[in-house]
Amino acid sequence: MSFTVTITPENITFDVESEQTILEGALNNNIRFPNRCQVGACAACLCKLISGEVTYHLDPMLTESEKAQGWVFACQAKVESNLIISLSD
Ligand code: FES
């Protein structure tokens, strides 16, 4: 099963297999997505979840208010539904 991720406002879309992270899906589709460590440490991949569901293996290092604002670590967040995300705040 795969899901569609849309980056707004650029309107870039790509498919992500379930069990993959947002970042894995982007890189597999040759989408230029900011990243560095790919292990949840550098925050280069931070993006904002506008709609949809993600899950984590390990809880990301985000404060409650950052989570409430929708910030997600793209290299750690597994895609659980179609998503709309934004790379700017
Ligand atoms: S790439 Fe470093 S936290 Fe995601």
Side-chain angles (χ1 to χ4, degrees):
M1 178 139 113
S2 69
F3 300 110
T4 302
V5 177
T6 304
I7 303 174
T8 185
E10 295 84 356
N11 213 20
I12 297 166
T13 63
F14 55 95
D15 288 335
V16 181
E17 296 297 320
S18 57
E19 291 300 303
Q20 283 190 325
T21 64
I22 299 171
L23 182 62
E24 284 169 338
L27 298 182
N28 285 345
N29 286 281
N30 297 318
I31 307 287
R32 282 179 41 190
F33 200 104
N35 74 92
R36 239 174 293 147
C37 71
Q38 301 191 6
V39 295
C42 74
C45 66
L46 264 190
C47 61
K48 214 164 204 181
L49 187 61
I50 311 290
S51 74
E53 297 253 342
V54 297
T55 56
Y56 291 100
H57 251 334
L58 294 173
D59 243 359
M61 288 184 296
L62 291 167
T63 64
E64 285 306 317
S65 77
E66 286 167 336
K67 280 187 208 165
Q69 288 167 26
W71 291 107
V72 295
F73 280 88
C75 69
Q76 301 297 300
K78 291 196 175 173
V79 178
E80 296 286 338
S81 72
N82 294 337
L83 303 183
I84 300 175
I85 60 173
S86 169
L87 292 174
S88 47
D89 49 7

